[in-house]
Amino acid sequence: MPAHPSVWLWRGLSLRHRRRQSQTRARDYYRGTKTPDEITEYYLRGGEQTRFHNAQGQLEALRTQELLARFLPPPPADILDVGGGPGYYARWLAARGYRVTLIDPIPLHVEQAHEVAGREGPEIIARLGDARRLEFPDRSMDAVLEFGPLYHLPAQEDRVRALSEAGRVTKPGGLIMVALISRFASLLDGLRLGFIDRPGALEAIKADVRTGEHRNPDRHPALFTTAYFHHPDEIANDFESAHITLDQLIAIEGPAWLFPDLQERLDDPDRRNRVLQAIRIVEVEPRMVGVSAHLMAIGRSAASTVAA
């Protein structure tokens, strides 16, 4: 597809020039939408670039790559990575022959995606953008990935809007893969790490489980920012409201992220393979899906255009 005027290509742009563009476009690209300040502040700390370095992140990445390889059409294909952060999956896909366009609302992430792609070789297109208002033509992408936007949109109307936009830009019957945080993630993480012993922790966890709306009003740097945690039973409703067919709901990490010795298991190839095999056994079991920290919703865009 032709390049949009605001597309940033790594080649030919100096770091200082990209940073100036980043600051300018951070002010004017929203076109009526805006990322809340606390979410922007959280990601400007730069932690997203190292999120896959610990054991839980490594497991999430391994399983997500497995699902991408399983469901995506073969390369070359046009993939839109919405909320792609610093480009971890975009680079992985580009190295395998896909034509990848990444958008993200955080200027730092777009800059990091360019820097790493420039060092490692695969060319990707990266630009600022918002999942709720995609500046791409109808039916222009073979597949759309949303590995983050829906868990930073507490309002259902915003989640449906983001999904509807994904459906609009995807070719008829095209793949839409959406990552979600489980409603029970903070409860299980609190048990795993012992956070439930801290004052106020159980009250906060109870609110997460009851409403799905996770808040960090004091912006504590050790805690996650504003987010929405999906109950497995409500995901189909969001997809139906956006006129997208939900084919499967898959546990990404399954219960394995709770292992206290997960790093040791992942470091050993045989043990890592057994962990992955065990997750696959229950990856679509409805009674087990919610135990996973992250869920992957696999959908398809409508075969014909649906009037708004």
Side-chain angles (χ1 to χ4, degrees):
M1 58 179 291
H4 187 278
S6 66
V7 163
W8 296 357
L9 289 173
W10 167 263
R11 303 194 191 318
L13 290 180
S14 70
L15 178 59
R16 180 177 299 176
H17 180 58
R18 292 197 312 278
R19 186 171 286 124
R20 282 202 305 270
Q21 288 185 320
S22 171
Q23 292 167 347
T24 300
R25 288 168 182 161
R27 293 192 295 269
D28 66 13
Y29 87 92
Y30 292 107
R31 310 288 179 84
T33 58
K34 188 177 186 301
T35 301
D37 291 341
E38 70 272 15
I39 296 178
T40 299
E41 178 185 292
Y42 176 84
Y43 284 110
L44 285 177
R45 297 174 193 150
E48 191 68 7
Q49 199 167 34
T50 58
R51 190 168 71 83
F52 298 118
H53 291 184
N54 63 32
Q56 283 70 33
Q58 290 170 33
L59 179 61
E60 179 190 346
L62 284 169
R63 279 283 292 162
T64 299
Q65 289 168 344
E66 177 183 315
L67 295 174
L68 287 169
R70 187 191 306 176
F71 288 102
L72 282 179
D78 292 306
I79 309 296
L80 179 59
D81 187 2
V82 182
Y88 183 89
Y89 294 115
R91 299 192 307 272
W92 186 82
L93 290 167
R96 283 152 182 78
Y98 289 98
R99 297 183 293 266
V100 186
T101 300
L102 176 151
I103 69 165
D104 197 272
I106 307 299
L108 174 65
H109 289 169
V110 176
E111 185 176 300
Q112 289 171 334
H114 284 133
E115 290 173 349
V116 179
R119 289 198 305 268
E120 297 181 2
E123 183 175 298
I124 62 171
I125 296 172
R127 54 183 277 196
L128 286 166
D130 191 296
R132 295 163 291 181
R133 190 163 297 190
L134 299 178
E135 297 182 357
F136 297 91
D138 295 356
R139 303 184 176 194
S140 56
M141 298 292 170
D142 293 297
V144 173
L145 314 178
E146 293 203 344
F147 293 171
L150 260 67
Y151 54 73
H152 286 309
L153 296 172
Q156 189 195 25
E157 63 183 48
D158 282 336
R159 298 195 299 273
V160 171
R161 187 176 176 185
L163 286 170
S164 298
E165 280 290 273
R168 178 184 64 78
V169 304
T170 308
K171 294 176 182 178
L175 185 72
I176 299 169
M177 299 180 69
V178 180
L180 309 159
I181 297 178
S182 168
R183 177 66 60 88
F184 312 107
S186 62
L187 169 64
L188 294 170
D189 210 28
L191 289 166
R192 180 178 71 92
L193 298 174
F195 287 159
I196 60 168
D197 296 325
R198 298 182 178 182
L202 284 176
E203 288 78 7
I205 289 171
K206 183 178 180 180
D208 287 351
V209 173
R210 186 178 67 252
T211 68
E213 296 186 12
H214 174 80
R215 305 290 182 182
N216 181 5
D218 298 327
R219 304 190 184 186
H220 193 291
L223 302 178
F224 199 41
T225 185
T226 300
Y228 187 77
F229 299 164
H230 273 81
H231 193 290
D233 292 343
E234 71 181 338
I235 295 168
N237 183 56
D238 280 1
F239 273 64
E240 183 179 355
S241 298
H243 306 291
I244 296 172
T245 300
L246 178 62
D247 287 344
Q248 293 188 63
L249 183 63
I250 300 175
I252 295 180
E253 304 97 336
W257 71 292
L258 301 170
F259 278 135
D261 61 344
L262 180 59
Q263 189 65 68
E264 289 78 7
R265 292 174 183 268
L266 295 179
D267 288 342
D268 181 286
D270 290 335
R271 298 183 78 193
R272 179 175 64 242
N273 187 51
R274 284 194 290 272
V275 167
L276 295 175
Q277 289 184 52
I279 295 170
R280 294 181 201 121
I281 292 172
V282 294
E283 66 177 15
V284 295
E285 169 55 53
R287 296 169 184 83
M288 291 289 293
V289 166
V291 177
S292 185
H294 296 85
L295 314 174
M296 182 72 75
I298 309 294
R300 298 280 173 182
S301 64
S304 60
T305 302
V306 178

